[in-house]
Amino acid sequence: MGAPSEFVIPIEGMTCSACVQRVAHALRRAPGVLEADVNLVLRNARVVVRRGDPLEPVLEAIEQAGYRATASAEDLRAGVDARDLDSVRNREQLWLVRRTVVALGLAVATMLLSTPLMTVQASDPLAHLMMPVGELLARVLPGLAALPAQTLRLLLCALTIPALGCGSVFFVSAWRALRHKTTTMSTLVAMGSGTAFAFSVVATLAPGLFERHGLTPEVYYDSVTSILALVLLGRALEGGARVRTSSAIRTLMSLAPRVAHLVRESGEADVDIATLRVDDVVRVRPGERVPVDGRVIDGESDVDESMFTGEPMPVSKRQGDRVVGGALNGPGTICVAAESVGADTVLSQIVALVRHAQTTRAPVQALADRISAVFVPIVLGIAAITFAVWCVVGPDPRLLHALVAFVTVTVIACPCAMGLATPTALVVGMGRGASLGVLIKNGETLERAAAVDTVVLDKTGTLTVGRPSVVGIVVEDLAGRSEDDVLSLAAAVEAFSEHPIATAIRAEARRRGLTVQHAIDFAAVAGGGVHGRVGGHVVAAGAAQWLTTDGVDGTSVRAIGDRATDPIATHVLVAIDGRAIALIAVRDRLRDGARDSLQRLAHLGLRAVMLTGDRRQAADAIAREVGIEEVHAGLSPADKVAAVASLQREGRRVVMVGDGINDAPALAQADVGVAVGRGTDVALEAADAALLRVGLDGVSTLVALARRTMRTIHVNLFWAFAYNVLGIPVAAGVLFPMFGVRLSPVFASFAMAMSSLTVVVNSLRLKGFRAPEGPRAH
């Protein structure tokens, strides 16, 4: 049947966690859907569908839930470019900002025109604040205060109607929800502003109904326009923040050029990279980004791969070397044969991973979602009870006070902040992680990473570079040769050997910039060594026992062999013309900065444990170098799994760091599995996160970022819950009998908008997160 297909569907109309729950429920019931996650911040849904099943029923499920998918099934199947979706979102944001500006202008106008109609009451702080403004306005525009009250009411009504048009999105959304027998945040906004407007229209068109009972026909047009303007303002601010939270994906996407220079037999042509196929040859000019993953077949240049590897210096690339799509070409021109294109490139996979992570939910979000799902109906019930109580026991005029209390409760209780508390922090946190070279699979991983207290490390390829290298050269004092001379001769006879030790000796000679002569009469003995003739000298390199059988003086072999000091290195003896004169120590080298990385983890409170399949002597030596006290050596992959499980039974929460291949079972067993590798072959099948850049600093970054993100989420949830728990009773009037304090709908709408903005701004602070740099970093 094939692997399932995954789509990210942009959705219009979601305003709170209740909307998220409703869309997710509808999607999970749609035919063919295996998995669905909905994100309020990004306004999209990640849907996994059985391969071959149509997408149309999925989009219909969104419509039936009262929302709208802004991409067609054809676009989704074709793979809409994220940059195109960004442009759509930017247009929607511009449209929202324009409506907000108009609504704010109308709100200010209606507020000023309402001042001559206001009656100052001790319980209405807004009227007290506006009276000086009204007095100033009367002096500046004396004719305004002289207008009949009925004329002012009609003028206010005329100004409020276009404000309703600006806020029509709330009424449309509320109507859709009503048709589907449900409620959303828009229901509260529409009911609050709609009720106030309807009451004001009655007072404007039929003032006699109030005057016959000795009541002043109060109107609340300023409340209507202010509610809509401030809620729109909150939406616009959230939208701007949402654009910024997606910056990680946009930054990654900007690395991929849209046009490639395709080399054909007939000549060179500029084509869209979406049309490229495997084995196509593309030319990359100086200063351009590489459009595909592939190998250099012609040319030479320095290529900047720092976005993937973290290495600041450009890497020299020549024929046969591999390059990664998105890397920045330097001064030369290279031709690259494509090995991976489109969605199969490393860059595309990273973008997909970040987008997938940002659309998932953390377990901490479940509580807010459950509360939000029933919150709006409860609030409507509280508002109805509030209206009834004020009608029975409130001060005169009771109906007006009851109406104000009803509108205030519905407006202040909008659960925007509650719905944004978790997803905004997750989106920003994961995006920041991606920019620091730490890819996190989902929100649950981030939550688990915040709680880890033990870091388990593989040795080879994790603490060490994973390949042998020269760590020391000892030359006999009377030989009359330098280290470079010996290394050059050894590299010459090792030139034809494919053994890893031979590779290490040749690499060290290249690193030192040595000239290596051509060897003749080359011969190699498996398990022994190599010999040949270089510049008129017979040169042999190999194990001590083999050299003595190859005709080298035994006394010199024993003398130079006794100078070996590294107990875990492999020692290659070098003999010239039958006499051993030097020793080259070769072993796997500790990664640069590994000890500092372990110290950072220790200062984060993590206990380090090494698990390795290597022999005990080598493991203990590396452990001493980096400061690890607990070492388990000689382990099979199954033994590593058992060791991790044993730590977990002790109550430890384990983050396992390995190369993601032979450590896959242990990575899967750990609470958080982290794959370490270069950006060109990050293994994520078994891991929960991956470090794009060489070294272990990403582990401390992951843990510190996870803890900071979870603290941000907890702060967000606290204020979101506290705001509603405290705000609703005050809006209902519990303080009025004792203190005479009563909130106006305008204050309520302002407070509601500010609560959402507070959550978003608090989450955006994560964009300034910096990787731990020293012992005091937490």
Side-chain angles (χ1 to χ4, degrees):
M1 183 174 65
S5 302
E6 182 175 310
F7 301 95
V8 176
I9 306 173
I11 299 175
E12 184 183 85
M14 295 192 299
T15 55
C16 63
S17 285
C19 300
V20 170
Q21 288 280 81
R22 195 162 298 110
V23 174
H25 182 68
L27 286 172
R28 288 166 188 153
R29 296 177 62 187
V33 173
L34 303 176
E35 185 181 339
D37 284 307
V38 182
N39 190 292
L40 176 63
V41 176
L42 300 179
R43 300 292 198 269
N44 64 22
R46 183 186 65 86
V47 180
V48 179
V49 183
R50 282 195 299 264
R51 183 169 292 278
D53 280 19
L55 266 177
E56 284 75 10
V58 178
L59 303 185
E60 287 173 9
I62 295 172
E63 295 283 343
Q64 290 170 3
Y67 305 89
R68 188 174 74 86
T70 56
S72 67
E74 291 76 15
D75 287 341
L76 292 169
R77 278 191 289 264
V80 181
D81 194 310
R83 288 172 291 198
D84 295 332
L85 291 178
D86 273 345
S87 66
V88 171
R89 292 193 186 102
N90 290 337
R91 287 197 299 272
E92 292 175 350
Q93 177 67 9
L94 181 61
W95 172 85
L96 179 58
V97 168
R98 286 172 177 168
R99 287 197 168 205
T100 302
V101 170
V102 173
L104 285 170
L106 292 169
V108 171
T110 54
M111 186 75 72
L112 293 175
L113 288 175
S114 296
T115 52
L117 299 176
M118 284 185 177
T119 56
V120 180
Q121 298 178 11
S123 63
D124 193 349
L126 181 63
H128 282 281
L129 288 174
M130 289 304 298
M131 288 314 295
V133 177
E135 293 171 1
L136 177 62
L137 192 65
R139 286 197 294 270
V140 176
L141 299 173
L144 181 63
L147 287 176
Q150 184 61 10
T151 302
L152 284 173
R153 293 189 194 107
L154 289 171
L155 185 58
L156 286 167
C157 182
L159 289 173
T160 303
I161 290 172
L164 291 171
C166 292
S168 60
V169 59
F170 302 114
F171 296 94
V172 171
S173 179
W175 172 246
R176 286 177 180 167
L178 181 62
R179 283 172 50 205
H180 293 90
K181 300 181 177 62
T182 186
T183 56
T184 67
M185 186 210 83
S186 294
T187 304
L188 299 179
V189 175
M191 285 196 67
S193 56
T195 302
F197 179 71
F199 183 92
S200 301
V201 169
V202 172
T204 300
L205 300 181
L209 293 176
F210 296 85
E211 292 167 348
R212 280 196 296 271
H213 295 84
L215 301 175
T216 302
E218 298 276 1
V219 292
Y220 295 95
Y221 294 117
D222 56 330
S223 294
V224 175
T225 56
S226 297
I227 289 169
L228 295 175
L230 288 170
V231 177
L232 283 170
L233 176 62
R235 280 277 199 95
L237 292 172
E238 290 167 21
R242 191 161 58 249
V243 169
R244 290 192 293 276
T245 59
S246 302
S247 60
I249 291 178
R250 286 197 306 277
T251 299
L252 290 169
M253 289 298 297
S254 69
L255 298 180
R258 291 200 173 196
V259 175
H261 312 303
L262 179 63
V263 178
R264 298 172 172 148
E265 291 183 2
S266 58
E268 190 175 305
D270 290 348
V271 299
D272 192 303
I273 64 167
T275 64
L276 293 177
R277 299 292 179 263
V278 174
D279 295 331
D280 280 349
V281 176
V282 296
R283 187 182 306 279
V284 187
R285 297 166 183 164
E288 294 181 338
R289 292 198 178 271
V290 180
V292 296
D293 294 355
R295 292 195 181 275
V296 177
I297 62 171
D298 188 34
E300 185 175 330
S301 185
D302 293 331
V303 177
D304 181 358
E305 297 179 332
S306 58
M307 184 66 190
F308 303 98
T309 65
E311 295 179 356
M313 296 300 295
V315 181
S316 177
K317 299 289 183 180
R318 52 179 58 88
Q319 187 172 347
D321 290 337
R322 193 162 190 268
V323 291
V324 186
L328 182 63
N329 187 28
T333 297
I334 54 177
C335 288
V336 178
E339 294 180 341
S340 300
V341 297
D344 295 327
T345 63
V346 169
L347 180 61
S348 294
Q349 290 171 2
I350 292 172
V351 171
L353 178 63
V354 175
R355 186 183 292 119
H356 172 273
Q358 291 186 335
T359 55
T360 59
R361 301 187 312 150
V364 71
Q365 192 172 344
L367 174 62
D369 286 349
R370 286 197 299 270
I371 292 176
S372 295
V374 297
F375 189 76
V376 176
I378 291 175
V379 168
L380 290 176
I382 293 173
I385 294 171
T386 300
F387 182 82
V389 170
W390 278 82
C391 281
V392 175
V393 300
D396 291 326
R398 294 178 181 176
L399 181 61
L400 293 181
H401 285 301
L403 174 68
V404 170
F406 175 85
V407 172
T408 304
V409 168
T410 56
V411 171
I412 204 170
C414 292
C416 300
M418 206 180 301
L420 292 168
T422 299
T424 49
L426 288 178
V427 168
V428 179
M430 290 180 185
R432 181 58 180 155
S435 67
L436 293 172
V438 180
L439 299 185
I440 303 165
K441 264 191 174 180
N442 51 48
E444 186 176 355
T445 293
L446 202 66
E447 187 168 346
R448 290 200 307 267
V452 297
D453 53 24
T454 301
V455 56
V456 173
L457 301 146
D458 175 46
K459 181 181 76 69
T460 306
T462 301
L463 288 170
T464 64
V465 295
R467 60 182 182 274
S469 58
V470 175
V471 294
I473 301 176
V474 177
V475 182
E476 185 187 65
D477 297 335
L478 300 178
R481 291 183 178 272
S482 67
E483 286 188 7
D484 285 355
D485 289 339
V486 171
L487 184 63
S488 176
L489 292 170
V493 293
E494 296 282 15
F496 302 102
S497 173
E498 295 302 322
H499 193 280
I501 290 178
T503 302
I505 291 173
R506 294 196 303 269
E508 180 66 13
R510 283 197 304 271
R511 189 184 71 81
R512 297 190 182 197
L514 303 181
T515 300
V516 178
Q517 300 181 55
H518 180 70
I520 60 175
D521 299 334
F522 170 81
V525 177
V530 295
H531 62 215
R533 188 174 295 275
V534 183
H537 297 282
V538 176
V539 180
Q545 185 176 0
W546 174 76
L547 285 176
T548 57
T549 63
D550 196 46
V552 176
D553 175 61
T555 301
S556 67
V557 169
R558 286 189 295 274
I560 198 68
D562 289 342
R563 299 184 65 178
T565 57
D566 191 331
I568 65 171
T570 298
H571 296 98
V572 178
L573 274 63
V574 181
I576 300 178
D577 297 329
R579 179 167 167 263
I581 66 163
L583 174 149
I584 300 176
V586 178
R587 67 174 169 89
D588 196 0
R589 189 193 299 272
L590 191 69
R591 282 195 185 277
D592 292 339
R595 184 176 181 84
D596 291 340
S597 297
L598 266 293
Q599 288 178 343
R600 291 187 183 97
L601 288 167
H603 284 290
L604 286 171
L606 272 66
R607 161 190 170 193
V609 178
M610 182 197 293
L611 304 181
T612 179
D614 206 348
R615 64 189 190 277
R616 166 63 66 174
Q617 188 180 28
D620 286 343
I622 293 294
R624 282 193 299 272
E625 284 192 61
V626 297
I628 294 178
E629 297 181 358
E630 185 174 348
V631 179
H632 301 270
L635 302 182
S636 67
D639 293 332
K640 290 183 180 180
V641 174
V644 172
S646 176
L647 291 169
Q648 291 171 323
R649 284 194 296 272
E650 294 175 13
R652 312 293 291 186
R653 296 184 179 182
V654 178
V655 52
M656 167 72 186
V657 186
D659 63 14
I661 301 170
N662 58 347
D663 295 313
L667 289 171
Q669 173 66 38
D671 296 281
V672 178
V674 179
V676 179
R678 298 179 71 89
T680 51
D681 66 346
V682 174
L684 277 172
E685 292 301 319
D688 300 299
L691 309 183
L692 284 180
R693 300 172 184 177
V694 175
L696 292 173
D697 283 348
V699 183
S700 56
T701 299
L702 168 63
V703 175
L705 176 62
R707 292 177 180 177
R708 172 87 173 270
T709 303
M710 292 311 299
R711 283 199 301 269
T712 300
I713 289 173
H714 293 148
V715 170
N716 285 351
L717 287 173
F718 170 79
W719 285 112
F721 283 121
Y723 164 81
N724 282 290
V725 168
L726 296 176
I728 292 175
V730 174
V734 295
L735 299 181
F736 183 78
M738 292 180 290
F739 304 104
V741 174
R742 184 170 65 101
L743 291 183
S744 72
V746 176
F747 272 29
S749 57
F750 178 78
M752 186 273 293
M754 289 303 100
S755 69
S756 297
L757 182 60
T758 299
V759 165
V760 171
V761 170
N762 189 46
S763 297
L764 285 173
R765 290 172 59 237
L766 286 168
K767 290 175 71 69
F769 170 84
R770 295 185 180 275
E773 295 181 354
R776 305 184 71 86
H778 285 267

